[in-house]
Amino acid sequence: MLLRLVWASLIRHRARTILAVLGVAVSAAMLLDMVMLSSGMRASFKNLLLSRGFQIRLSPKGTLPFDTDATIAEAGAVTASLRAIPGVTTVSPVLGGQLYVTIGDRMTTAIAIGVDPAVQGDYEITAGRSPRAANELVASDDFLRATGAQIGDTLAAAAGFDPQLRAVTGRRALVLVGRAHFIYLAAAQNAVALPLQTLQEMRGEPARDRVSLFMVRASSSDSVDSVLANIERALPRVTAVSIATAMRQVDERLSYFRQLAVILGAVSLGVGFLLVTTLVTVSVNERLGEIIVMRAIGVARARVVLQVLLESTAIMLVGAVGGLGLGLVTARYLNSILASLPGLPAAIDFFLFEPRDAWTALGALASAGVLADIYPSWRGASLPIAATLREEAVA
């Protein structure tokens, strides 16, 4: 009987019920998006750093990896020192630079990464294979589209440019052996990867036995702190950054987004609370006569309140489910806008959906809805029966 009364009350005012559901859906979508924004980029960045299993990065003293053009000298000796540290299982040296590729009368510039193909963690092969010889390289889809090159082609490449002579330097013929997805680079960037020694030789004396950073894999997550401490003692002239340290620095740089998410999330929650409060108050005022009659024939006050709560809960549930879908659609659109910011890796997501985000958003909205229901429904059910009947009769 109670559920039939709830259903009858909802369909009696179809337009108001539909508008209420739409309002709750918009509030739920905005709240979900803000919850996703507050934690999404942080979680996405952490997943990106750990995607290849390297927990520690080493960069030139006082800088973050690739923040500047500074390099680490005596890379061979540093590599040997790292491999001698207990707990270190893999050391991947990386040298960054540029490569100038000439095809016909057109020159294309690409980001070049020199790595050891056997232990690299910067790219994944999507077609072809990794370089095996000194004169081989792999390239990104954007590079292949820009140049029209295909796997198996021999490219005329250079690793430097002399502004006085207006000519490229460090020329070498390189064979394209694979297509690769570069994990840490931004979208729509021309990128190539080749053996570390080859890029060092092409760049000449400035890059001789130098690298831009080292990526280090520890034997287990529990040993990262001890490995990091040993690295800092053994190599005081480099900056060692663990995932935990990197995440603290990311938190500092992303504080603006978290503050924005908290403010907008609070606004959406407040809007949802006020919307439900207003609707329940209007509904109770319109049905005072019905409520008082129910009270007069012996219906318990708690049962009247329960009926109103069930009506608003049904609106909240339907609106919240619709808001979940709407929130995911808008999050995808907003993420595509923010992902176009220059310098961000293509794998970074500002809005990363996780089931707990949905439960957090919907739970907060449902709690606000229940709290918004209690006062107006209890007030309507607590009015004096005789006096209210007289007022309703006069009205």
Side-chain angles (χ1 to χ4, degrees), residues 100 160-169:
Y100 303 91
F161 184 81
D162 190 328
Q164 294 180 342
L165 300 177
R166 297 180 182 275
V168 293
T169 60

Side-chain angles (χ1 to χ4, degrees), residues 334-357:
L334 293 173
N335 192 71
S336 66
I337 296 175
L338 294 175
S340 63
L341 292 174
L344 282 178
I348 290 293
D349 290 317
F350 284 83
F351 298 86
L352 182 64
F353 176 77
E354 295 183 3
R356 71 168 182 270
D357 293 336

